Amino acid sequence: MSSNTVKPALYKAGSTPDPEHSMTQAPKATRRETLKLAGAGLAAASMAEAAPAASNSPSTLTFPEVDRTLTDTHHVAEGFKAQVLLRWGDPLFGDAPAFDPLAQTADAQKKQFGYDCDFIGFMPLPKGSRSSTSGLLCVNHELARSKLMFPGTPKQLDPNRNKEMADIEMASQGHTVIEVALRDGTWEVNRNSKYNRRVSGFDTVIELTGPVAGHARVKTKDDPTGRKVIGTFANCAGGETPWGTVLIGEENIEHHFGGDPRGTSEEANHAAMGLTENVYYNWNKYYPRFDMSVEPHEPNRFGWMVEIDPYDPTSTPKKRTALGRFKHEGAGFAFAPDKRVVVYSGDDEVFQFIYRYVSRNPWKPGDDKNNRALLDDGTLYVAQFDAKGAITWLPLVWGEGALTPANGFNDQGDVLIETRRAAKLLGATPMDRPEEIVPNPVTGTVFVSLTKNSKRKDTDFANPRAKNKFGQIHELLPPGHDQGKPDHAALRFQSRPFILAGNPADPDSGAQYHADLSTRGWFTNPDNMTFDAQGRIWLSTDGGTDFGYADGLWAADVTGPGRALSRAFFTGPRGSELTGPCFTPNGASLFCSVQHPADDDGSTFDTPSTRWPDFDPALPPRPSVVVITRSDGSLIS
Ligand code: FEO
Ligand code: CA
Ligand code: CA
């Protein structure tokens, strides 16, 4: 069915439909039951307050909705189990030490699952197969939250954190590759797999590739070649490439650099990326390269997309500079009709932009040499919306338009290092914090999550609410999408709203959903998204605690009579953010990351608001990967 032809009734805030009117039965009595599951000592599941599926719902989704919660633990729709598979500190290698939170070291952390899990990629084993029972789990570790990681750390971050703590913070970020397998209905990790790997901010050597490799503005005292960077961090979302690698974003890099950049050659550039002397980590105290007054080029070596080959643990990860430098959320892959590779990526900050990269050459199946160069040679574009939602993709090419020496751009390297400034000069449309941009492989359209922008005054087609606290999901329409041939490389797209988030019962929210939305179905602050084999959207949220409930996972049809009828599937423990939803190819297992549990007011390592997932007085709360399956192992729907 053409997604263009679907025009469901929208439930707008302030209109009067009964949000429960599609419910044919009253919700069941509350039931909460925690089950301990067998398997590797890692399993736990929760079944929670669940509403029954409506028999006459226009949605194709059948799971009973989970209630809106704010509790110490997670809750999944009735009939499903949620197994905690990987926790911060879990050993990833046969020789890795057990997690000891009172005596943590950087050496231990380098061999253990990192902090703040985010993006998840499931890469089947063997490579190239469609296995849904054996694979490599590729997981980002976004940030280190010192107050929840170290005993005795006060609520406000202590600038006197010692060097070992700084090293642990570096080692806890980056990426994990670990082999996993489904056995007798339970997922297990294989600590002895040859594929297991930690890429970290501490000591992993990463190669700069593309137009910025070797550029004068990425050369440093430690690396006069401008080609070898130590580490990656702030790794938020990501994407899987068609050739079996993952591409991970470097997002909020401003936390990691200290020292005063004013008066250096990079003063304006660093200001544009939010890099100031006010620093979250104090790594600059122990490592001069993180001091911008000493090494102003070092931040130019971060803010890129990093490609990792999980099937080759000896491979050198690559920072693909042709995709631009900004606060990359993730990477959404699609093919143009001629098989050129297209990568969508958002810059997650208020009034920043959405981007699209198009490779010069087409992908050739089986030609690894050709395919691995696709991300080094191509054109980066930024989106400009008109008043009716039509998009023009503006190329960021040196020498064209305003991108000339007169404006301080002396080569393509300058354009890419200062992508934000280049995009603004071209007239890109400032957005409400672009998070993920993910092509839907079934509909051929592209979904953009815009998480919020309370600073917005002037509104436009894609950012239609001033003081936007709730966020929205916008749908980009490449030409040909309604004939099954979307041209993701076209220079002009159309677009339309999908959902304006918020609580539609609040007439001031401006929220818009399907008219049959239940009181559980609304959400705020959409962030990561994925699509199941039917093309339905599954999305996680970041910010629900601001509205008195925990973040979670919601799902909705994107076409047909159930379009934009979102339904609540999973909620996390208090203080957590849900990230990284990822299905196995058969749609029967759904992985997601529970990031920073207990990251709420007053919580510290010593006095957390929850000790999820272990609930052991000797253990702190631990960011963890959860895998959700239906109790009988059938499709998640
Ligand atoms: Fe790390 Fe944009 O969320
Ligand atoms: Ca995110
Ligand atoms: Ca976020």
Side-chain angles (χ1 to χ4, degrees):
M1 179 182 301
S2 163
S3 53
N4 250 351
T5 61
V6 178
K7 288 189 168 47
L10 283 181
Y11 176 20
K12 299 185 181 181
S15 61
T16 51
D18 173 358
E20 300 274 43
H21 87 267
S22 68
M23 307 296 284
T24 55
Q25 309 166 48
K28 279 182 188 171
T30 297
R31 183 166 77 89
R32 182 173 295 138
E33 177 184 6
T34 300
L35 304 174
K36 288 284 182 195
L37 298 182
L42 292 172
S46 171
M47 291 187 175
E49 306 162 61
S55 60
N56 64 346
S57 170
S59 175
T60 65
L61 292 157
T62 58
F63 64 80
E65 284 195 272
V66 69
D67 206 0
R68 205 174 293 283
T69 61
L70 185 61
T71 74
D72 289 352
T73 193
H74 60 271
H75 305 275
V76 68
E78 188 172 334
F80 295 80
K81 65 177 183 180
Q83 175 196 346
V84 180
L85 180 65
L86 278 161
R87 298 160 162 85
W88 168 46
D90 277 350
L92 301 176
F93 305 91
D95 64 348
F99 181 53
D100 180 353
L102 297 178
Q104 181 66 319
T105 66
D107 281 345
Q109 181 65 81
K110 281 160 53 181
K111 295 181 176 179
Q112 296 168 340
F113 195 62
Y115 204 78
D116 261 4
C117 36
D118 201 299
F119 164 77
I120 301 172
F122 179 85
M123 311 299 279
L125 281 175
K127 182 179 179 181
S129 76
R130 297 274 297 165
S131 175
S132 292
T133 57
S134 175
L136 302 176
L137 216 56
C138 300
V139 186
N140 276 357
H141 301 292
E142 186 178 20
L143 295 170
R145 300 195 190 243
S146 314
K147 69 175 185 176
L148 294 169
M149 292 172 69
F150 302 116
T153 301
K155 179 181 165 191
Q156 298 301 322
L157 287 170
D158 180 356
N160 296 316
R161 292 190 304 280
N162 62 37
K163 181 171 180 297
E164 185 69 29
M165 292 157 97
D167 289 351
I168 293 167
E169 290 167 346
M170 289 182 202
S172 73
Q173 298 180 48
H175 192 78
T176 288
V177 178
I178 176 114
E179 185 175 338
V180 296
L182 181 65
R183 295 193 213 291
D184 301 327
T186 298
W187 282 92
E188 298 173 356
V189 303
N190 176 3
R191 282 183 198 146
N192 296 308
S193 168
K194 65 180 182 182
Y195 296 108
N196 295 354
R197 182 177 194 184
R198 273 301 315 280
V199 170
S200 83
F202 186 70
D203 59 0
T204 305
V205 175
I206 303 183
E207 182 184 352
L208 278 171
T209 71
V212 174
H215 193 279
R217 294 173 68 185
V218 292
K219 291 179 178 174
T220 64
K221 182 166 171 285
D222 291 344
D223 174 27
T225 71
R227 293 175 185 275
K228 297 286 180 197
V229 182
I230 304 297
T232 181
F233 42 71
N235 308 99
C236 191
E240 301 170 4
T241 73
W243 48 88
T245 64
V246 294
L247 201 56
I248 66 172
E250 295 183 326
E251 193 193 35
N252 291 308
I253 62 162
E254 75 276 19
H255 299 313
H256 303 70
F257 296 90
D260 190 348
R262 288 175 296 184
T264 72
S265 58
E266 298 289 339
E267 175 177 347
N269 173 31
H270 292 344
M273 283 287 282
L275 287 150
T276 71
E277 60 190 320
N278 300 316
V279 68
Y280 183 97
Y281 303 107
N282 66 351
W283 301 355
N284 57 309
K285 185 172 177 177
Y286 307 108
Y287 296 93
R289 74 182 178 111
F290 291 112
D291 185 331
M292 292 183 284
S293 68
V294 174
E295 195 61 274
H297 288 173
E298 188 70 17
N300 291 346
R301 295 145 62 86
F302 295 84
W304 304 106
M305 295 293 320
V306 185
E307 186 176 18
I308 299 171
D309 180 355
Y311 294 103
D312 180 1
T314 66
S315 59
T316 302
K318 296 180 171 58
K319 299 200 182 194
R320 300 291 192 183
T321 66
L323 278 64
R325 174 173 174 266
F326 45 89
K327 295 185 185 179
H328 280 280
E329 172 74 18
F333 275 82
F335 283 120
D338 61 3
K339 293 291 183 194
R340 281 178 294 162
V341 168
V342 176
V343 184
Y344 295 92
S345 190
D347 184 352
D348 183 6
E349 190 156 354
V350 293
F351 302 121
Q352 289 300 329
F353 312 124
I354 64 179
Y355 296 88
R356 179 196 69 176
Y357 171 86
V358 182
S359 66
R360 179 185 300 274
N361 294 317
W363 178 64
K364 296 177 186 166
D367 187 345
D368 278 1
K369 187 162 180 279
N370 173 75
N371 297 341
R372 289 184 185 201
L374 295 177
L375 300 182
D376 289 334
D377 186 10
T379 303
L380 184 66
Y381 298 83
V382 68
Q384 182 186 62
F385 290 76
D386 75 8
K388 293 183 176 175
I391 298 168
T392 301
W393 289 102
L394 306 167
L396 284 88
V397 175
W398 179 72
E400 293 186 10
L403 309 184
T404 62
N407 286 313
F409 299 104
N410 292 309
D411 53 31
Q412 184 65 17
D414 283 339
V415 171
L416 294 167
I417 289 168
E418 296 187 77
T419 300
R420 282 182 164 187
R421 187 167 72 88
K424 189 175 180 181
L425 276 170
L426 294 182
T429 300
M431 310 294 288
D432 287 346
R433 275 190 64 186
E435 295 266 15
E436 282 212 293
I437 309 176
V438 189
N440 184 325
V442 176
T443 64
T445 63
V446 183
F447 289 75
V448 182
S449 56
L450 298 151
T451 206
K452 63 181 171 184
N453 184 355
S454 58
K455 294 181 179 171
R456 177 168 292 281
K457 293 177 183 160
D458 299 327
T459 60
D460 56 43
F461 185 87
N463 306 277
R465 288 179 290 181
K467 297 181 182 173
N468 176 12
K469 291 187 288 186
F470 310 113
Q472 65 264 26
I473 300 177
H474 201 72
E475 187 178 15
L476 314 186
L477 309 171
H481 75 91
D482 46 354
Q483 283 97 45
K485 292 181 182 171
D487 184 357
H488 290 280
L491 292 178
R492 300 267 296 174
F493 283 21
Q494 296 293 325
S495 74
R496 62 183 174 190
F498 178 59
I499 283 174
L500 301 186
N503 180 357
D506 170 7
D508 296 328
S509 71
Q512 290 187 13
Y513 301 82
H514 190 288
D516 287 0
L517 192 79
S518 82
T519 53
R520 298 172 178 83
W522 62 266
F523 56 86
T524 66
N525 310 114
D527 194 331
N528 300 132
M529 302 172 288
T530 193
F531 298 95
D532 63 22
Q534 293 74 40
R536 296 174 298 203
I537 192 169
W538 295 72
L539 64 102
S540 62
T541 63
D542 173 12
T545 303
D546 292 347
F547 300 93
Y549 65 92
D551 280 315
L553 293 173
W554 277 258
D557 290 335
V558 301
T559 60
R563 174 175 161 93
L565 178 50
S566 48
R567 297 174 56 78
F569 182 64
F570 179 87
T571 62
R574 67 174 74 243
S576 69
E577 170 186 348
L578 267 290
T579 53
C582 169
F583 282 97
T584 49
N586 67 358
S589 296
L590 173 59
F591 298 92
C592 68
S593 291
V594 175
Q595 213 185 54
H596 56 74
D599 186 26
D600 46 12
D601 285 348
S603 272
T604 66
F605 179 98
D606 302 301
T607 58
S609 61
T610 176
R611 291 188 185 274
W612 187 91
D614 304 290
F615 300 104
D616 179 337
L619 290 172
R622 299 163 79 185
S624 301
V625 168
V626 168
V627 55
I628 299 168
T629 50
R630 201 184 271 280
S631 301
D632 64 4
S634 62
L635 197 71
I636 293 175
S637 177

Short mmCIF file of all heavy atoms in Angstrom, two decimals, residues 119-120 237-238 329 331 435-439 446-450 472-474 498 523 526-532 536-541 553-554 578-583:
data_model
loop_
_atom_site.label_atom_id
_atom_site.label_comp_id
_atom_site.label_asym_id
_atom_site.label_seq_id
_atom_site.Cartn_x
_atom_site.Cartn_y
_atom_site.Cartn_z
N PHE A 119 23.61 2.30 21.18
CA PHE A 119 23.35 1.56 19.93
C PHE A 119 23.65 0.07 20.08
O PHE A 119 24.64 -0.32 20.70
CB PHE A 119 24.25 2.14 18.82
CG PHE A 119 24.39 1.24 17.61
CD1 PHE A 119 23.37 1.16 16.67
CD2 PHE A 119 25.54 0.49 17.42
CE1 PHE A 119 23.51 0.33 15.56
CE2 PHE A 119 25.68 -0.33 16.30
CZ PHE A 119 24.65 -0.40 15.37
N ILE A 120 22.78 -0.75 19.48
CA ILE A 120 23.03 -2.18 19.39
C ILE A 120 22.89 -2.60 17.93
O ILE A 120 21.90 -2.27 17.27
CB ILE A 120 22.03 -2.99 20.23
CG1 ILE A 120 22.11 -2.58 21.71
CG2 ILE A 120 22.28 -4.49 20.08
CD1 ILE A 120 21.02 -3.22 22.57
N ALA A 237 24.34 6.62 18.98
CA ALA A 237 23.70 5.61 18.14
C ALA A 237 24.64 5.19 17.02
O ALA A 237 25.82 5.57 17.00
CB ALA A 237 22.38 6.15 17.60
N GLY A 238 24.13 4.44 16.06
CA GLY A 238 24.98 3.93 14.99
C GLY A 238 24.13 3.31 13.92
O GLY A 238 22.94 3.60 13.79
N GLU A 329 24.50 11.60 15.98
CA GLU A 329 23.68 10.64 16.72
C GLU A 329 23.95 9.24 16.17
O GLU A 329 24.53 8.41 16.84
CB GLU A 329 22.21 11.01 16.59
CG GLU A 329 21.24 9.98 17.16
CD GLU A 329 21.20 9.99 18.67
OE1 GLU A 329 21.64 10.97 19.27
OE2 GLU A 329 20.73 8.98 19.24
N ALA A 331 23.60 6.52 12.29
CA ALA A 331 23.79 6.38 10.85
C ALA A 331 22.67 5.51 10.31
O ALA A 331 22.49 4.38 10.76
CB ALA A 331 25.14 5.73 10.55
N GLU A 435 17.78 13.51 16.41
CA GLU A 435 18.39 12.28 16.92
C GLU A 435 18.59 11.35 15.74
O GLU A 435 19.36 11.65 14.86
CB GLU A 435 17.52 11.68 18.04
CG GLU A 435 17.44 12.57 19.28
CD GLU A 435 18.46 12.24 20.35
OE1 GLU A 435 19.42 11.51 20.07
OE2 GLU A 435 18.31 12.73 21.49
N GLU A 436 17.86 10.25 15.70
CA GLU A 436 18.13 9.31 14.61
C GLU A 436 17.39 9.67 13.32
O GLU A 436 16.34 10.31 13.33
CB GLU A 436 17.73 7.89 15.04
CG GLU A 436 18.77 7.27 15.95
CD GLU A 436 18.87 5.77 15.76
OE1 GLU A 436 17.90 5.08 16.10
OE2 GLU A 436 19.92 5.30 15.28
N ILE A 437 17.96 9.24 12.21
CA ILE A 437 17.33 9.35 10.89
C ILE A 437 17.44 7.96 10.27
O ILE A 437 18.53 7.52 9.92
CB ILE A 437 18.04 10.38 10.01
CG1 ILE A 437 18.18 11.72 10.77
CG2 ILE A 437 17.28 10.58 8.71
CD1 ILE A 437 18.97 12.77 10.01
N VAL A 438 16.31 7.24 10.20
CA VAL A 438 16.37 5.82 9.84
C VAL A 438 15.45 5.53 8.66
O VAL A 438 14.24 5.74 8.74
CB VAL A 438 15.97 4.93 11.04
CG1 VAL A 438 16.25 3.47 10.72
CG2 VAL A 438 16.73 5.34 12.30
N PRO A 439 16.01 5.04 7.56
CA PRO A 439 15.16 4.62 6.44
C PRO A 439 14.34 3.38 6.82
O PRO A 439 14.86 2.47 7.48
CB PRO A 439 16.17 4.27 5.34
CG PRO A 439 17.44 4.94 5.74
CD PRO A 439 17.45 4.94 7.23
N VAL A 446 11.74 7.72 5.21
CA VAL A 446 12.81 7.91 6.18
C VAL A 446 12.24 8.64 7.39
O VAL A 446 11.58 9.67 7.24
CB VAL A 446 13.96 8.74 5.56
CG1 VAL A 446 15.12 8.87 6.54
CG2 VAL A 446 14.43 8.12 4.24
N PHE A 447 12.48 8.09 8.57
CA PHE A 447 11.92 8.69 9.79
C PHE A 447 13.02 9.43 10.56
O PHE A 447 14.12 8.90 10.74
CB PHE A 447 11.25 7.61 10.65
CG PHE A 447 9.97 7.11 10.03
CD1 PHE A 447 9.98 6.25 8.94
CD2 PHE A 447 8.75 7.53 10.52
CE1 PHE A 447 8.81 5.82 8.34
CE2 PHE A 447 7.56 7.12 9.93
CZ PHE A 447 7.59 6.26 8.84
N VAL A 448 12.67 10.63 11.00
CA VAL A 448 13.60 11.47 11.75
C VAL A 448 12.99 11.72 13.12
O VAL A 448 11.85 12.20 13.22
CB VAL A 448 13.80 12.84 11.06
CG1 VAL A 448 14.80 13.69 11.83
CG2 VAL A 448 14.24 12.65 9.62
N SER A 449 13.73 11.40 14.19
CA SER A 449 13.25 11.75 15.52
C SER A 449 13.90 13.07 15.93
O SER A 449 15.11 13.25 15.81
CB SER A 449 13.57 10.64 16.53
OG SER A 449 14.95 10.35 16.54
N LEU A 450 13.04 13.99 16.37
CA LEU A 450 13.49 15.31 16.83
C LEU A 450 13.06 15.39 18.28
O LEU A 450 11.87 15.38 18.59
CB LEU A 450 12.85 16.39 15.97
CG LEU A 450 13.26 16.27 14.50
CD1 LEU A 450 12.20 16.80 13.56
CD2 LEU A 450 14.60 16.97 14.27
N GLN A 472 9.09 15.33 18.20
CA GLN A 472 8.23 14.82 17.15
C GLN A 472 9.00 13.83 16.28
O GLN A 472 10.23 13.77 16.35
CB GLN A 472 7.69 15.96 16.27
CG GLN A 472 8.72 16.72 15.46
CD GLN A 472 9.19 17.99 16.15
OE1 GLN A 472 9.15 18.10 17.38
NE2 GLN A 472 9.68 18.96 15.39
N ILE A 473 8.24 13.08 15.50
CA ILE A 473 8.84 12.22 14.49
C ILE A 473 8.33 12.70 13.15
O ILE A 473 7.11 12.82 12.94
CB ILE A 473 8.49 10.74 14.72
CG1 ILE A 473 9.00 10.29 16.10
CG2 ILE A 473 9.11 9.87 13.62
CD1 ILE A 473 8.64 8.85 16.46
N HIS A 474 9.25 13.01 12.26
CA HIS A 474 8.93 13.55 10.95
C HIS A 474 9.32 12.51 9.91
O HIS A 474 10.28 11.78 10.09
CB HIS A 474 9.70 14.86 10.74
CG HIS A 474 9.09 15.74 9.70
ND1 HIS A 474 7.91 16.43 9.89
CD2 HIS A 474 9.52 16.08 8.44
CE1 HIS A 474 7.63 17.13 8.80
NE2 HIS A 474 8.59 16.93 7.92
N PHE A 498 4.76 12.71 11.25
CA PHE A 498 4.26 11.38 11.64
C PHE A 498 3.55 11.48 12.98
O PHE A 498 2.35 11.22 13.07
CB PHE A 498 5.42 10.38 11.68
CG PHE A 498 5.01 9.00 12.13
CD1 PHE A 498 4.04 8.29 11.44
CD2 PHE A 498 5.58 8.42 13.26
CE1 PHE A 498 3.64 7.02 11.86
CE2 PHE A 498 5.20 7.15 13.68
CZ PHE A 498 4.23 6.45 12.98
N PHE A 523 3.82 9.34 24.23
CA PHE A 523 5.19 9.37 24.75
C PHE A 523 5.75 10.77 24.53
O PHE A 523 5.11 11.63 23.88
CB PHE A 523 6.05 8.32 24.03
CG PHE A 523 6.07 8.47 22.53
CD1 PHE A 523 6.98 9.32 21.90
CD2 PHE A 523 5.16 7.78 21.73
CE1 PHE A 523 6.98 9.48 20.52
CE2 PHE A 523 5.16 7.93 20.34
CZ PHE A 523 6.07 8.79 19.74
N PRO A 526 11.07 11.39 21.55
CA PRO A 526 11.52 10.23 20.79
C PRO A 526 13.01 10.31 20.48
O PRO A 526 13.55 11.39 20.24
CB PRO A 526 10.69 10.31 19.50
CG PRO A 526 10.31 11.76 19.38
CD PRO A 526 10.15 12.24 20.80
N ASP A 527 13.66 9.15 20.49
CA ASP A 527 15.11 9.14 20.27
C ASP A 527 15.45 8.06 19.26
O ASP A 527 15.32 8.25 18.06
CB ASP A 527 15.81 8.95 21.63
CG ASP A 527 17.30 9.25 21.58
OD1 ASP A 527 17.90 9.08 20.52
OD2 ASP A 527 17.88 9.64 22.62
N ASN A 528 15.81 6.86 19.69
CA ASN A 528 16.23 5.82 18.75
C ASN A 528 15.02 5.10 18.15
O ASN A 528 13.98 4.97 18.80
CB ASN A 528 17.15 4.82 19.43
CG ASN A 528 18.39 5.48 19.97
OD1 ASN A 528 18.77 5.26 21.11
ND2 ASN A 528 19.03 6.30 19.17
N MET A 529 15.21 4.64 16.92
CA MET A 529 14.12 3.97 16.21
C MET A 529 14.65 2.78 15.44
O MET A 529 15.81 2.78 15.00
CB MET A 529 13.48 4.94 15.18
CG MET A 529 12.94 6.21 15.77
SD MET A 529 12.42 7.38 14.48
CE MET A 529 14.00 7.90 13.83
N THR A 530 13.80 1.75 15.29
CA THR A 530 14.10 0.68 14.36
C THR A 530 12.78 0.21 13.76
O THR A 530 11.70 0.65 14.18
CB THR A 530 14.86 -0.47 15.05
OG1 THR A 530 15.39 -1.35 14.05
CG2 THR A 530 13.97 -1.28 15.99
N PHE A 531 12.86 -0.66 12.76
CA PHE A 531 11.66 -1.14 12.08
C PHE A 531 11.66 -2.65 12.09
O PHE A 531 12.71 -3.29 11.92
CB PHE A 531 11.61 -0.62 10.64
CG PHE A 531 11.55 0.89 10.60
CD1 PHE A 531 12.70 1.63 10.43
CD2 PHE A 531 10.35 1.55 10.77
CE1 PHE A 531 12.66 3.02 10.43
CE2 PHE A 531 10.29 2.94 10.78
CZ PHE A 531 11.46 3.67 10.60
N ASP A 532 10.48 -3.25 12.31
CA ASP A 532 10.40 -4.70 12.24
C ASP A 532 10.18 -5.13 10.78
O ASP A 532 10.12 -4.29 9.87
CB ASP A 532 9.33 -5.24 13.21
CG ASP A 532 7.92 -4.76 12.87
OD1 ASP A 532 7.67 -4.36 11.71
OD2 ASP A 532 7.07 -4.79 13.79
N ARG A 536 6.91 -1.75 10.77
CA ARG A 536 6.38 -0.97 11.89
C ARG A 536 7.53 -0.34 12.68
O ARG A 536 8.60 -0.93 12.80
CB ARG A 536 5.53 -1.87 12.80
CG ARG A 536 4.30 -2.40 12.08
CD ARG A 536 3.53 -3.41 12.90
NE ARG A 536 4.31 -4.59 13.21
CZ ARG A 536 3.80 -5.76 13.52
NH1 ARG A 536 2.49 -5.92 13.55
NH2 ARG A 536 4.59 -6.78 13.82
N ILE A 537 7.27 0.83 13.22
CA ILE A 537 8.31 1.55 13.94
C ILE A 537 8.31 1.14 15.41
O ILE A 537 7.26 0.93 16.02
CB ILE A 537 8.11 3.08 13.80
CG1 ILE A 537 9.33 3.85 14.30
CG2 ILE A 537 6.84 3.56 14.51
CD1 ILE A 537 9.29 5.34 13.94
N TRP A 538 9.52 0.95 15.96
CA TRP A 538 9.72 0.71 17.39
C TRP A 538 10.68 1.80 17.84
O TRP A 538 11.77 1.94 17.29
CB TRP A 538 10.30 -0.69 17.62
CG TRP A 538 9.34 -1.77 17.20
CD1 TRP A 538 9.00 -2.11 15.92
CD2 TRP A 538 8.57 -2.63 18.06
NE1 TRP A 538 8.07 -3.13 15.92
CE2 TRP A 538 7.79 -3.47 17.22
CE3 TRP A 538 8.47 -2.78 19.44
CZ2 TRP A 538 6.92 -4.43 17.74
CZ3 TRP A 538 7.61 -3.74 19.94
CH2 TRP A 538 6.84 -4.55 19.10
N LEU A 539 10.28 2.55 18.82
CA LEU A 539 11.07 3.72 19.20
C LEU A 539 11.29 3.77 20.70
O LEU A 539 10.47 3.31 21.49
CB LEU A 539 10.37 5.00 18.73
CG LEU A 539 9.01 5.31 19.35
CD1 LEU A 539 9.13 6.37 20.42
CD2 LEU A 539 8.01 5.72 18.29
N SER A 540 12.43 4.32 21.05
CA SER A 540 12.75 4.51 22.47
C SER A 540 12.73 6.00 22.79
O SER A 540 12.83 6.84 21.89
CB SER A 540 14.11 3.90 22.79
OG SER A 540 15.14 4.55 22.06
N THR A 541 12.59 6.32 24.05
CA THR A 541 12.45 7.71 24.45
C THR A 541 13.55 8.13 25.42
O THR A 541 14.16 7.31 26.10
CB THR A 541 11.09 7.97 25.12
OG1 THR A 541 10.99 7.19 26.32
CG2 THR A 541 9.94 7.63 24.17
N LEU A 553 9.86 1.87 25.50
CA LEU A 553 9.74 1.53 24.07
C LEU A 553 8.26 1.58 23.69
O LEU A 553 7.42 1.01 24.39
CB LEU A 553 10.25 0.12 23.80
CG LEU A 553 11.73 -0.19 23.95
CD1 LEU A 553 11.96 -1.69 23.78
CD2 LEU A 553 12.54 0.58 22.92
N TRP A 554 7.99 2.23 22.56
CA TRP A 554 6.66 2.26 21.99
C TRP A 554 6.75 1.73 20.55
O TRP A 554 7.85 1.75 19.96
CB TRP A 554 6.11 3.69 21.97
CG TRP A 554 5.49 4.15 23.25
CD1 TRP A 554 4.16 4.23 23.53
CD2 TRP A 554 6.16 4.60 24.44
NE1 TRP A 554 3.96 4.71 24.81
CE2 TRP A 554 5.16 4.94 25.39
CE3 TRP A 554 7.50 4.76 24.82
CZ2 TRP A 554 5.47 5.41 26.67
CZ3 TRP A 554 7.81 5.23 26.09
CH2 TRP A 554 6.80 5.55 27.00
N LEU A 578 16.01 4.67 27.53
CA LEU A 578 16.01 3.49 26.66
C LEU A 578 16.66 3.84 25.34
O LEU A 578 16.34 4.87 24.74
CB LEU A 578 14.57 3.03 26.43
CG LEU A 578 14.06 1.95 27.39
CD1 LEU A 578 14.74 0.63 27.11
CD2 LEU A 578 14.26 2.32 28.85
N THR A 579 17.56 2.99 24.88
CA THR A 579 18.31 3.27 23.65
C THR A 579 18.49 1.97 22.86
O THR A 579 18.30 0.86 23.38
CB THR A 579 19.70 3.85 23.97
OG1 THR A 579 20.36 2.98 24.89
CG2 THR A 579 19.60 5.24 24.59
N GLY A 580 18.88 2.14 21.60
CA GLY A 580 19.42 1.04 20.81
C GLY A 580 18.51 -0.10 20.42
O GLY A 580 19.01 -1.23 20.24
N PRO A 581 17.18 0.08 20.27
CA PRO A 581 16.36 -1.09 19.93
C PRO A 581 16.85 -1.75 18.63
O PRO A 581 17.20 -1.07 17.67
CB PRO A 581 14.95 -0.49 19.75
CG PRO A 581 15.17 0.97 19.48
CD PRO A 581 16.41 1.34 20.23
N CYS A 582 16.87 -3.08 18.63
CA CYS A 582 17.45 -3.83 17.51
C CYS A 582 16.83 -5.22 17.47
O CYS A 582 16.89 -5.95 18.47
CB CYS A 582 18.97 -3.92 17.71
SG CYS A 582 19.82 -5.07 16.60
N PHE A 583 16.23 -5.58 16.34
CA PHE A 583 15.64 -6.91 16.18
C PHE A 583 16.65 -7.90 15.59
O PHE A 583 17.52 -7.52 14.80
CB PHE A 583 14.45 -6.86 15.21
CG PHE A 583 13.19 -6.31 15.79
CD1 PHE A 583 12.84 -4.98 15.60
CD2 PHE A 583 12.34 -7.12 16.53
CE1 PHE A 583 11.66 -4.47 16.13
CE2 PHE A 583 11.17 -6.62 17.08
CZ PHE A 583 10.82 -5.29 16.88
#
